Amino acid sequence: MITKNIKKKFSEHLDLSHSYWKNLLKKGDHVIDATCGNGNDSIFLARQVLGKNIGSLSLFDIQIKAILKTKKKLSQNLSLEDFNRISFHHQSNENLFSSKNPLVSLIVYNLGYLPGGEKTITTTKKTTLISIKNALPLLREKGAISLMCYPGHKDGKEEEEAILDFSSTLDSSIWSVCYHKWLNRLDSPSLIWIKKR
Ligand SMILES: C[S@@+](CC[C@H](N)C(=O)[O-])C[C@H]1O[C@@H](n2cnc3c(N)ncnc32)[C@H](O)[C@@H]1O
């Protein structure tokens, strides 16, 4: 129970990613949530970029349950005008795209399984790597990919390692790649930030 409470309180990884996103985004930007899940990241992103008929958000998830939950959350918390600028895609993020503009400012991945859902339906290193490779050409100058990894379980660790291996090889004259990890917290989530220079 105590462990559960401690785990529950650990949200610094989300604060960190949100501060990166906030710093990068402005109203009118085009963004993609590649793993919309329960819609928490989506609502944060929507609030950064949508307004006065500008900006767009494209959402992906392989689970219809996640798409419907996110849709509900967004419709309850946004104006109809802003809600209408969001596109929902019940499909794998392997071939992601932006519905309003080919060039996007930010693509967000929160990896792993749907909190409160089926733990066997999870992102995999194979599909995530395909997705990242297809995501890179979609970024505008100074645009970024944000990947929250969960290496606390075996598949999550392998996925993180595969992303680290791949992103370490990106040409440093074009890409700036950064890795954040809590050193005194075993198996904590980590953030990989890939930015176009
Ligand atoms: C950790 S959850 C995302 C949490 C979410 N961003 C939020 O704020 O609530 C991971 C999600 O990735 C989805 N997913 C797994 N593989 C996927 C894939 N290939 N393409 C798109 N979504 C995927 C899962 O269905 C799950 O909903």
Side-chain angles (χ1 to χ4, degrees):
M1 190 63 181
I2 290 172
T3 320
K4 207 177 170 190
N5 284 338
I6 291 169
K7 266 190 185 160
K8 233 181 169 181
K9 275 188 197 153
F10 188 70
S11 59
E12 287 166 44
H13 60 303
L14 300 177
D15 296 343
L16 178 70
S17 59
H18 288 183
S19 69
Y20 264 97
W21 304 352
K22 236 178 164 163
N23 205 24
L24 177 77
L25 297 174
K26 59 177 185 337
K27 295 280 180 199
D29 281 349
H30 302 279
V31 294
I32 298 174
D33 187 346
T35 55
C36 73
N38 289 324
N40 299 314
D41 294 327
S42 307
I43 189 88
F44 187 93
L45 293 169
R47 287 184 171 137
Q48 304 305 309
V49 302
L50 303 180
K52 296 192 181 143
N53 252 324
I54 55 170
S56 76
L57 170 60
S58 301
L59 307 175
F60 292 79
D61 205 291
I62 49 171
Q63 295 191 66
I64 189 66
K65 189 176 155 185
I67 295 285
L68 294 175
K69 189 159 184 192
T70 299
K71 204 175 227 180
K72 189 172 174 195
K73 189 169 276 177
L74 293 167
S75 70
Q76 288 172 343
N77 286 282
L78 298 175
S79 68
L80 184 62
E81 190 186 56
D82 286 353
F83 180 75
N84 286 339
R85 300 196 66 79
I86 303 172
S87 59
F88 298 86
H89 307 282
H90 176 213
Q91 64 187 71
S92 173
N93 56 31
E94 285 156 278
N95 287 303
L96 32 72
F97 56 89
S98 162
S99 57
K100 296 267 182 212
N101 194 307
L103 287 185
V104 298
S105 300
L106 179 65
I107 303 172
V108 166
Y109 296 80
N110 195 337
L111 302 173
Y113 55 82
L114 183 66
E118 176 54 65
K119 290 190 179 176
T120 54
I121 308 176
T122 180
T123 57
T124 66
K125 72 174 179 188
K126 183 170 172 270
T127 56
T128 301
L129 277 183
I130 293 172
S131 185
I132 298 169
K133 286 174 191 168
N134 287 330
L136 293 172
L138 300 182
L139 293 175
R140 66 155 167 83
E141 245 177 62
K142 313 276 183 207
I145 297 177
S146 171
L147 296 129
M148 188 59 72
C149 305
Y150 294 88
H153 61 104
K154 188 177 155 283
D155 292 345
K157 181 140 194 71
E158 281 179 16
E159 190 174 26
E160 183 198 52
E161 281 167 3
I163 299 166
L164 286 173
D165 285 349
F166 169 72
S167 54
S168 308
T169 65
L170 289 171
D171 181 345
S172 61
S173 67
I174 305 172
W175 304 101
S176 170
V177 185
C178 198
Y179 174 51
H180 294 270
K181 182 152 184 74
W182 275 260
L183 295 176
N184 61 348
R185 212 177 166 110
L186 200 65
D187 296 335
S188 65
S190 66
L191 175 69
I192 300 170
W193 181 252
I194 303 175
K195 186 167 181 197
K196 192 167 181 180
R197 304 183 66 162

